[in-house]
Amino acid sequence: MVVGQFVSDPFLQMLLLSITAICVYAPYGPLWAIPTAIVPASIAGAALGLQNAIGNLGGYYGPKVVGMLKDATGDFHAGFYFLAGSLVLAAITTLILGRFVNPTAKADSGGRSELKLSQNV
């Protein structure tokens, strides 16, 4: 996404943007599986609803911030840097949350792993 801001060829820009889209949409399956792996079955539905609500906020504020940055700077560079930074922040958050899942714990009857809250982040 960031490299595409320094390329002037429209075909190469579209190719880089397509690669970005592939990389963004590829983890959707595991992304929706994370809450069911780390929370008890009784609240898995609420966890998925919260995840969806936060995603909807991103769907509203992402374009809004990109537009505000475009108006402030006159080009889309700052907006794309913001989006790239958001993707990096999401990856770091996922890595941190992934430390709470105990892969060796026996799964409960719903097939969910137990939380490992004793590990420091």
Side-chain angles (χ1 to χ4, degrees), residues 31-99:
L31 174 73
W32 284 101
I34 290 172
T36 58
I38 64 173
V39 299
S42 60
I43 61 169
L48 291 172
L50 178 63
Q51 181 176 339
N52 191 36
I54 292 170
N56 286 335
L57 288 173
Y60 173 76
Y61 284 107
K64 181 177 176 116
V65 171
V66 170
M68 290 170 47
L69 291 171
K70 196 258 184 212
D71 289 344
T73 63
D75 62 15
F76 285 101
H77 290 264
F80 275 89
Y81 298 148
F82 167 75
L83 293 175
S86 297
L87 288 172
V88 170
L89 182 62
I92 291 169
T93 303
T94 303
L95 286 172
I96 290 170
L97 290 177
R99 292 178 177 256

